[in-house]
Amino acid sequence: IAMCHLQAMPGDPGYDEEKGMDYVIEMARKDLKALQSGGVDGVMFSNEFSLPYLTEVKTVTTASMANVIGELKKEITVPYGVNVLWDPFASIDLAAATGALFIREIMSGVYASDFGLWNTNAGGVARHKAEVNRKDLKLFFNIVPEAARYLADRDITEIAKTTVFNHHPDALCVSGMTAGAETDSQILCKVKNTVPDTAVFCNTGCRLENIERQLTYADGAVVGTTFKKDGKFENAVDESRVKVFMEKVKEIQAKLQ
């Protein structure tokens, strides 16, 4: 699943008022085209450049993202999801408005984070999904939040086991410290062995040189930074990097079958 990182939008500190939303849409269009032409299996739209993130986003963010996806919808040729950082309720609303098939969010646990004390409401999230008539929407639970640590001293295997029991996630996502930071493959292995019947995704830091190792343990990967020009988070997607990466992935898939 490739990340389509949206530029800063109205209400974000980094929003470019002179270029406006037309620029945000055009940059997303270019990245989407490069990702799809490069052969990715799916795309997830996120407000990655809305730094610093909110855990309860403003309505303008969700509306702006819906505007972008609406403008691009006829051009989307692969399954797609959405991620409104870091607000699962807004993510569900956006999915309901745009027809997205899945969301990825922090939906359970309490954390000390760069964004302050980070609390969640998994029961509310599950009920909100039903309220907007999207019982089909897949929920990807990020159980190792970026730039955050669980307040309680809990082992990752315990977190994985109780998350699956209590919340019935469609997938678990395991992350590194920040976007682009490599996920610990041993943690991936532990999580997958603990919950073998649940899909597990490597959520950050997948690169050409480590993707074979990561996919030895994970069922899939969410990839963003490595698809960018020079592998830098702030750059636009480089189609050639996407193609080389996806060719490698298809080789790995053939070996694993």
Side-chain angles (χ1 to χ4, degrees), residues 108-181:
S108 61
V110 184
Y111 309 88
S113 78
D114 286 354
F115 316 115
L117 186 62
W118 190 345
N119 201 357
T120 60
N121 182 358
V125 169
R127 285 161 178 79
H128 189 58
K129 187 177 83 163
E131 289 166 358
V132 298
N133 300 312
R134 283 303 310 270
K135 292 182 180 180
D136 63 317
L137 182 67
K138 304 300 183 185
L139 303 184
F140 292 9
F141 278 59
N142 188 346
I143 60 169
V144 185
E146 300 156 35
R149 183 183 293 274
Y150 228 100
L151 277 186
D153 184 16
R154 301 182 66 200
D155 184 78
I156 188 63
T157 56
E158 178 186 346
I159 294 169
K161 188 177 294 185
T162 59
T163 300
V164 168
F165 180 84
N166 287 315
H167 308 309
H168 305 290
D170 296 293
L172 297 181
C173 295
V174 182
S175 309
M177 188 178 298
T178 62

Coordinates of all heavy atoms in Angstrom, one line a residue, residues 108-181:
S108 N -6.6 2.3 19.7 CA -6.6 1.8 21.1 C -5.4 2.1 21.8 O -4.3 2.3 21.2 CB -6.8 0.2 21.0 OG -5.7 -0.4 20.3
G109 N -5.5 2.2 23.1 CA -4.3 2.4 24.0 C -4.3 3.9 24.4 O -5.0 4.8 23.9
V110 N -3.4 4.2 25.4 CA -3.1 5.5 25.8 C -1.6 5.7 25.8 O -0.8 4.9 26.2 CB -3.6 5.7 27.3 CG1 -3.4 7.2 27.7 CG2 -5.1 5.4 27.4
Y111 N -1.1 6.9 25.3 CA 0.3 7.1 25.0 C 0.8 8.5 25.5 O 0.0 9.4 25.6 CB 0.5 7.0 23.5 CG -0.1 5.8 22.8 CD1 -1.4 5.8 22.4 CD2 0.7 4.6 22.7 CE1 -1.9 4.6 21.8 CE2 0.1 3.5 22.2 CZ -1.2 3.5 21.7 OH -1.7 2.4 21.2
A112 N 2.1 8.5 25.8 CA 2.8 9.8 26.0 C 3.5 10.0 24.6 O 4.2 9.2 24.1 CB 3.8 9.6 27.1
S113 N 3.2 11.2 24.0 CA 3.6 11.4 22.7 C 4.1 12.8 22.5 O 3.9 13.7 23.3 CB 2.5 11.1 21.7 OG 1.6 12.2 21.7
D114 N 4.7 13.1 21.3 CA 5.1 14.4 20.9 C 3.9 15.3 20.8 O 4.0 16.6 20.7 CB 5.8 14.4 19.5 CG 7.2 13.8 19.7 OD1 7.7 13.6 20.8 OD2 7.9 13.6 18.6
F115 N 2.7 14.8 20.7 CA 1.5 15.5 20.5 C 0.7 15.7 21.8 O -0.5 16.1 21.8 CB 0.6 14.9 19.4 CG 1.3 14.4 18.2 CD1 1.4 13.1 17.9 CD2 2.0 15.3 17.4 CE1 2.2 12.6 16.8 CE2 2.7 14.9 16.3 CZ 2.8 13.6 16.0
G116 N 1.3 15.3 22.9 CA 0.7 15.4 24.2 C 0.2 14.1 24.7 O 0.6 13.0 24.1
L117 N -0.6 14.0 25.7 CA -1.2 12.8 26.2 C -2.2 12.3 25.2 O -3.1 13.1 24.9 CB -1.8 13.0 27.6 CG -2.4 11.8 28.3 CD1 -1.2 10.8 28.6 CD2 -3.1 12.1 29.6
W118 N -2.0 11.1 24.7 CA -2.8 10.7 23.5 C -3.7 9.5 24.0 O -3.2 8.4 24.2 CB -1.8 10.2 22.5 CG -2.3 9.8 21.1 CD1 -3.5 9.7 20.7 CD2 -1.4 9.6 20.0 NE1 -3.6 9.4 19.4 CE2 -2.3 9.3 18.9 CE3 -0.1 9.7 19.8 CZ2 -1.9 9.1 17.6 CZ3 0.4 9.4 18.5 CH2 -0.5 9.2 17.4
N119 N -5.0 9.8 24.1 CA -6.0 8.8 24.5 C -6.8 8.4 23.3 O -6.8 9.1 22.3 CB -6.9 9.4 25.6 CG -7.5 8.3 26.4 OD1 -7.4 7.1 26.1 ND2 -8.3 8.7 27.4
T120 N -7.4 7.3 23.4 CA -8.2 6.8 22.3 C -9.6 6.3 22.8 O -9.8 6.2 24.0 CB -7.5 5.6 21.6 OG1 -7.3 4.5 22.5 CG2 -6.2 6.0 21.0
N121 N -10.5 5.9 21.9 CA -11.8 5.4 22.2 C -12.2 4.4 21.2 O -13.0 4.7 20.3 CB -12.8 6.6 22.3 CG -14.2 6.2 22.7 OD1 -14.5 5.0 22.9 ND2 -15.1 7.1 22.7
A122 N -11.7 3.2 21.3 CA -11.9 2.1 20.3 C -13.4 1.8 20.2 O -13.9 1.5 19.1 CB -11.1 0.9 20.7
G123 N -14.1 1.7 21.3 CA -15.5 1.4 21.3 C -16.3 2.5 20.5 O -17.2 2.2 19.8
G124 N -15.9 3.7 20.7 CA -16.6 4.8 20.0 C -16.3 4.7 18.5 O -17.1 5.0 17.7
V125 N -15.0 4.4 18.2 CA -14.7 4.2 16.7 C -15.5 3.1 16.1 O -16.0 3.3 15.0 CB -13.1 3.9 16.6 CG1 -12.8 3.5 15.2 CG2 -12.3 5.1 17.1
A126 N -15.6 2.0 16.7 CA -16.4 0.9 16.1 C -17.9 1.3 15.9 O -18.5 1.0 14.9 CB -16.3 -0.3 17.1
R127 N -18.4 2.0 16.9 CA -19.8 2.5 16.8 C -20.0 3.5 15.7 O -21.0 3.6 15.0 CB -20.3 2.9 18.1 CG -20.6 1.7 19.1 CD -20.6 2.1 20.6 NE -20.9 1.0 21.4 CZ -20.0 0.1 21.8 NH1 -18.8 0.2 21.3 NH2 -20.4 -1.0 22.5
H128 N -19.0 4.4 15.6 CA -19.1 5.5 14.6 C -19.0 4.9 13.2 O -19.7 5.4 12.3 CB -17.9 6.5 14.7 CG -18.1 7.7 13.9 ND1 -19.2 8.5 14.0 CD2 -17.3 8.2 12.9 CE1 -19.0 9.5 13.1 NE2 -17.9 9.3 12.4
K129 N -18.3 3.8 13.0 CA -18.3 3.1 11.7 C -19.6 2.6 11.3 O -20.1 2.8 10.1 CB -17.3 2.0 11.7 CG -17.0 1.3 10.4 CD -16.0 0.2 10.5 CE -16.6 -1.1 10.9 NZ -15.8 -2.3 10.6
A130 N -20.4 2.1 12.3 CA -21.7 1.6 12.0 C -22.7 2.8 11.8 O -23.6 2.7 10.9 CB -22.2 0.8 13.2
E131 N -22.5 3.9 12.5 CA -23.4 5.1 12.4 C -23.3 5.7 11.0 O -24.3 6.2 10.6 CB -23.0 6.1 13.5 CG -23.3 5.7 14.9 CD -22.6 6.6 15.9 OE1 -21.8 7.5 15.5 OE2 -22.8 6.4 17.1
V132 N -22.2 5.6 10.4 CA -22.1 6.2 9.0 C -22.3 5.2 7.9 O -22.0 5.4 6.8 CB -20.7 6.9 8.8 CG1 -20.6 8.1 9.8 CG2 -19.6 6.0 8.9
N133 N -22.9 4.0 8.4 CA -23.2 2.9 7.4 C -22.1 2.4 6.6 O -22.2 2.2 5.4 CB -24.4 3.4 6.5 CG -25.6 3.8 7.3 OD1 -26.1 3.1 8.1 ND2 -26.1 5.0 6.9
R134 N -20.9 2.2 7.3 CA -19.7 1.7 6.6 C -19.2 0.5 7.4 O -18.0 0.4 7.7 CB -18.6 2.7 6.5 CG -18.8 3.8 5.4 CD -19.0 3.1 4.0 NE -18.0 2.2 3.7 CZ -16.8 2.5 3.1 NH1 -16.6 3.8 2.7 NH2 -15.9 1.6 2.8
K135 N -20.1 -0.5 7.6 CA -19.7 -1.7 8.3 C -18.7 -2.5 7.5 O -18.0 -3.4 8.0 CB -21.0 -2.6 8.6 CG -21.9 -1.9 9.6 CD -23.1 -2.8 9.9 CE -24.0 -2.2 10.9 NZ -25.2 -3.0 11.2
D136 N -18.6 -2.2 6.2 CA -17.6 -2.9 5.3 C -16.2 -2.3 5.4 O -15.3 -2.9 4.9 CB -18.1 -2.8 3.9 CG -18.1 -1.4 3.4 OD1 -18.6 -0.5 4.1 OD2 -17.7 -1.1 2.2
L137 N -16.1 -1.1 6.1 CA -14.8 -0.4 6.1 C -13.8 -1.2 6.9 O -14.1 -1.6 8.1 CB -15.0 1.0 6.7 CG -13.8 1.9 6.8 CD1 -13.3 2.3 5.4 CD2 -14.1 3.1 7.7
K138 N -12.6 -1.4 6.4 CA -11.6 -2.2 7.1 C -10.8 -1.2 8.0 O -10.4 -0.1 7.6 CB -10.6 -2.9 6.1 CG -11.3 -3.8 5.1 CD -12.1 -4.9 5.8 CE -12.7 -5.9 4.8 NZ -13.5 -6.9 5.4
L139 N -10.5 -1.7 9.2 CA -9.8 -0.9 10.2 C -8.4 -1.5 10.4 O -8.3 -2.6 10.9 CB -10.5 -0.8 11.5 CG -12.0 -0.3 11.5 CD1 -12.6 -0.2 12.9 CD2 -12.1 1.1 10.8
F140 N -7.4 -0.7 10.1 CA -6.0 -1.1 10.3 C -5.5 -0.4 11.6 O -5.4 0.8 11.6 CB -5.1 -0.7 9.1 CG -5.4 -1.4 7.8 CD1 -6.5 -2.2 7.7 CD2 -4.5 -1.2 6.8 CE1 -6.7 -2.9 6.5 CE2 -4.7 -1.9 5.6 CZ -5.8 -2.7 5.4
F141 N -5.3 -1.2 12.6 CA -4.9 -0.6 13.9 C -3.3 -0.5 14.0 O -2.6 -1.5 13.9 CB -5.3 -1.6 15.0 CG -6.7 -1.4 15.5 CD1 -7.8 -1.6 14.6 CD2 -7.0 -1.1 16.8 CE1 -9.1 -1.5 15.0 CE2 -8.3 -1.0 17.3 CZ -9.4 -1.2 16.4
N142 N -2.9 0.7 14.1 CA -1.4 1.0 14.3 C -1.2 0.7 15.8 O -1.6 1.5 16.7 CB -1.1 2.4 13.9 CG 0.4 2.6 13.9 OD1 1.2 1.9 14.5 ND2 0.8 3.7 13.3
I143 N -0.4 -0.3 16.1 CA -0.2 -0.7 17.6 C 1.1 -0.2 18.1 O 1.5 -0.5 19.2 CB -0.4 -2.2 17.8 CG1 0.5 -3.0 17.0 CG2 -1.9 -2.6 17.6 CD1 0.6 -4.5 17.4
V144 N 1.9 0.4 17.2 CA 3.2 1.0 17.6 C 3.2 2.4 17.1 O 3.8 2.7 16.1 CB 4.4 0.2 17.1 CG1 5.7 0.8 17.7 CG2 4.3 -1.3 17.5
P145 N 2.5 3.4 17.8 CA 2.4 4.7 17.2 C 3.8 5.4 17.1 O 4.7 5.2 17.9 CB 1.6 5.4 18.3 CG 0.9 4.4 19.0 CD 1.8 3.2 19.0
E146 N 3.9 6.2 16.0 CA 5.1 6.9 15.7 C 5.2 8.1 16.8 O 4.2 8.7 17.1 CB 5.1 7.5 14.3 CG 5.0 6.4 13.3 CD 4.5 6.8 12.0 OE1 4.7 8.0 11.6 OE2 3.8 6.0 11.3
A147 N 6.4 8.4 17.2 CA 6.6 9.5 18.2 C 5.8 9.4 19.4 O 5.4 10.3 20.0 CB 6.3 10.8 17.5
A148 N 5.6 8.1 19.9 CA 4.8 7.9 21.1 C 5.2 6.6 21.8 O 5.8 5.7 21.2 CB 3.3 7.9 20.8
R149 N 4.9 6.5 23.1 CA 5.1 5.2 23.8 C 3.9 4.9 24.7 O 3.3 5.8 25.3 CB 6.4 5.4 24.7 CG 6.7 4.1 25.4 CD 7.9 4.4 26.3 NE 9.1 4.6 25.5 CZ 9.9 3.6 25.1 NH1 9.6 2.4 25.3 NH2 11.0 3.9 24.4
Y150 N 3.5 3.7 24.7 CA 2.5 3.2 25.6 C 2.7 3.7 27.0 O 3.8 3.5 27.5 CB 2.4 1.7 25.6 CG 1.0 1.1 25.4 CD1 0.6 0.6 24.1 CD2 0.1 1.0 26.4 CE1 -0.6 0.1 23.9 CE2 -1.1 0.4 26.2 CZ -1.5 0.0 25.0 OH -2.7 -0.5 24.8
L151 N 1.7 4.2 27.7 CA 1.9 4.7 29.1 C 2.2 3.5 30.0 O 3.0 3.6 30.9 CB 0.7 5.4 29.6 CG 0.6 6.9 29.2 CD1 -0.6 7.6 29.8 CD2 1.8 7.7 29.6
A152 N 1.5 2.4 29.8 CA 1.7 1.2 30.6 C 2.9 0.4 30.1 O 3.2 0.5 28.9 CB 0.5 0.3 30.7
D153 N 3.6 -0.3 30.9 CA 4.8 -1.1 30.5 C 4.3 -2.4 30.0 O 4.2 -3.4 30.8 CB 5.8 -1.2 31.7 CG 7.0 -2.0 31.2 OD1 7.2 -2.1 30.0 OD2 7.7 -2.5 32.1
R154 N 3.9 -2.5 28.7 CA 3.3 -3.7 28.2 C 4.2 -4.2 27.0 O 4.6 -3.4 26.2 CB 1.9 -3.4 27.7 CG 0.9 -2.9 28.7 CD -0.5 -2.7 28.1 NE -1.0 -4.0 27.7 CZ -2.0 -4.1 26.8 NH1 -2.5 -3.0 26.2 NH2 -2.5 -5.3 26.5
D155 N 4.3 -5.5 27.0 CA 5.1 -6.1 25.9 C 4.2 -6.1 24.6 O 3.0 -6.2 24.6 CB 5.4 -7.6 26.2 CG 6.2 -8.3 25.1 OD1 7.4 -8.0 25.1 OD2 5.7 -9.0 24.3
I156 N 4.9 -5.9 23.4 CA 4.2 -5.8 22.2 C 3.3 -7.0 21.9 O 2.3 -6.9 21.3 CB 5.2 -5.6 21.0 CG1 4.4 -5.2 19.7 CG2 6.1 -6.8 20.8 CD1 3.6 -4.0 19.8
T157 N 3.7 -8.2 22.3 CA 2.9 -9.4 22.1 C 1.6 -9.4 22.9 O 0.6 -9.8 22.4 CB 3.7 -10.7 22.4 OG1 4.1 -10.6 23.8 CG2 4.9 -10.8 21.5
E158 N 1.7 -8.8 24.1 CA 0.5 -8.7 24.9 C -0.4 -7.7 24.3 O -1.7 -7.9 24.2 CB 0.9 -8.2 26.3 CG -0.3 -8.0 27.2 CD 0.1 -7.4 28.6 OE1 1.3 -7.4 28.9 OE2 -0.8 -6.9 29.3
I159 N 0.1 -6.6 23.8 CA -0.7 -5.5 23.1 C -1.4 -6.1 21.9 O -2.6 -5.9 21.6 CB 0.2 -4.3 22.7 CG1 0.7 -3.6 24.0 CG2 -0.6 -3.4 21.8 CD1 1.7 -2.6 23.7
A160 N -0.6 -6.9 21.1 CA -1.2 -7.5 19.9 C -2.3 -8.4 20.2 O -3.4 -8.4 19.6 CB -0.1 -8.2 19.1
K161 N -2.1 -9.3 21.2 CA -3.1 -10.3 21.6 C -4.4 -9.7 22.1 O -5.5 -10.0 21.7 CB -2.5 -11.2 22.7 CG -3.4 -12.4 23.0 CD -2.7 -13.3 24.0 CE -1.4 -14.0 23.4 NZ -0.8 -14.9 24.4
T162 N -4.3 -8.7 23.0 CA -5.5 -8.0 23.5 C -6.2 -7.1 22.5 O -7.4 -7.0 22.6 CB -5.2 -7.2 24.8 OG1 -4.2 -6.2 24.5 CG2 -4.6 -8.1 25.9
T163 N -5.4 -6.5 21.6 CA -6.0 -5.7 20.6 C -6.9 -6.6 19.7 O -8.0 -6.2 19.4 CB -5.0 -5.0 19.7 OG1 -4.2 -4.1 20.6 CG2 -5.6 -4.1 18.6
V164 N -6.4 -7.7 19.3 CA -7.2 -8.6 18.5 C -8.4 -9.1 19.2 O -9.5 -9.2 18.6 CB -6.3 -9.8 18.0 CG1 -7.1 -10.9 17.3 CG2 -5.2 -9.3 17.0
F165 N -8.2 -9.5 20.5 CA -9.4 -10.1 21.2 C -10.4 -9.0 21.4 O -11.6 -9.3 21.3 CB -8.9 -10.6 22.6 CG -10.0 -11.1 23.4 CD1 -10.4 -12.5 23.3 CD2 -10.6 -10.4 24.4 CE1 -11.4 -13.0 24.1 CE2 -11.6 -10.9 25.2 CZ -12.0 -12.2 25.0
N166 N -10.0 -7.8 21.8 CA -11.0 -6.8 22.2 C -11.6 -6.0 21.0 O -12.8 -5.6 21.1 CB -10.4 -5.8 23.2 CG -10.1 -6.3 24.6 OD1 -11.0 -7.0 25.1 ND2 -8.9 -6.1 25.1
H167 N -10.8 -5.8 20.0 CA -11.3 -4.9 18.9 C -11.5 -5.5 17.5 O -12.0 -4.9 16.6 CB -10.3 -3.8 18.8 CG -10.0 -3.1 20.1 ND1 -11.0 -2.6 21.0 CD2 -8.8 -2.8 20.8 CE1 -10.4 -2.1 22.1 NE2 -9.1 -2.2 22.0
H168 N -11.1 -6.8 17.4 CA -11.2 -7.5 16.1 C -10.7 -6.6 14.9 O -11.5 -6.4 13.9 CB -12.7 -7.8 15.8 CG -13.3 -8.7 17.0 ND1 -12.9 -10.0 17.2 CD2 -14.2 -8.4 17.9 CE1 -13.6 -10.4 18.3 NE2 -14.4 -9.5 18.7
P169 N -9.5 -6.2 14.9 CA -9.0 -5.4 13.8 C -8.9 -6.2 12.5 O -8.7 -7.4 12.5 CB -7.6 -5.0 14.3 CG -7.2 -6.1 15.2 CD -8.4 -6.5 15.9
D170 N -9.0 -5.5 11.4 CA -8.8 -6.2 10.1 C -7.3 -6.4 9.8 O -6.9 -7.2 9.0 CB -9.5 -5.4 9.0 CG -11.0 -5.3 9.2 OD1 -11.6 -6.4 9.1 OD2 -11.5 -4.2 9.5
A171 N -6.5 -5.5 10.4 CA -5.0 -5.7 10.3 C -4.3 -4.9 11.4 O -4.9 -4.0 12.0 CB -4.5 -5.1 8.9
L172 N -3.1 -5.3 11.7 CA -2.3 -4.6 12.7 C -1.1 -4.0 12.0 O -0.5 -4.7 11.1 CB -1.8 -5.6 13.8 CG -2.8 -6.2 14.7 CD1 -2.0 -7.1 15.7 CD2 -3.6 -5.2 15.4
C173 N -0.8 -2.8 12.3 CA 0.4 -2.1 11.7 C 1.4 -1.9 12.7 O 1.2 -1.4 13.8 CB -0.1 -0.7 11.1 SG -1.2 -0.9 9.7
V174 N 2.7 -2.3 12.4 CA 3.8 -2.1 13.3 C 4.8 -1.1 12.7 O 5.2 -1.3 11.6 CB 4.5 -3.5 13.5 CG1 5.6 -3.4 14.5 CG2 3.5 -4.5 14.0
S175 N 5.1 -0.1 13.5 CA 5.9 1.0 13.0 C 7.2 1.2 13.7 O 7.5 0.6 14.7 CB 5.1 2.3 13.2 OG 3.8 2.2 12.8
G176 N 8.1 2.1 13.0 CA 9.3 2.5 13.6 C 9.0 3.8 14.4 O 7.8 4.2 14.6
M177 N 10.0 4.6 14.7 CA 9.9 5.8 15.5 C 9.2 6.9 14.8 O 8.3 7.6 15.4 CB 11.2 6.3 16.0 CG 11.2 7.4 17.0 SD 12.8 7.9 17.6 CE 13.4 6.4 18.4
T178 N 9.4 7.1 13.5 CA 8.8 8.2 12.7 C 8.6 7.7 11.3 O 9.0 6.6 10.9 CB 9.7 9.4 12.6 OG1 10.9 9.1 12.0 CG2 10.0 10.0 14.0
A179 N 7.9 8.5 10.5 CA 7.7 8.1 9.1 C 9.1 7.9 8.5 O 10.0 8.7 8.7 CB 7.0 9.2 8.4
G180 N 9.3 6.8 7.8 CA 10.6 6.5 7.1 C 11.5 5.8 8.0 O 12.6 5.3 7.5
A181 N 11.3 5.6 9.3 CA 12.1 4.9 10.2 C 11.9 3.4 10.1 O 10.7 3.0 10.2 CB 12.0 5.4 11.7

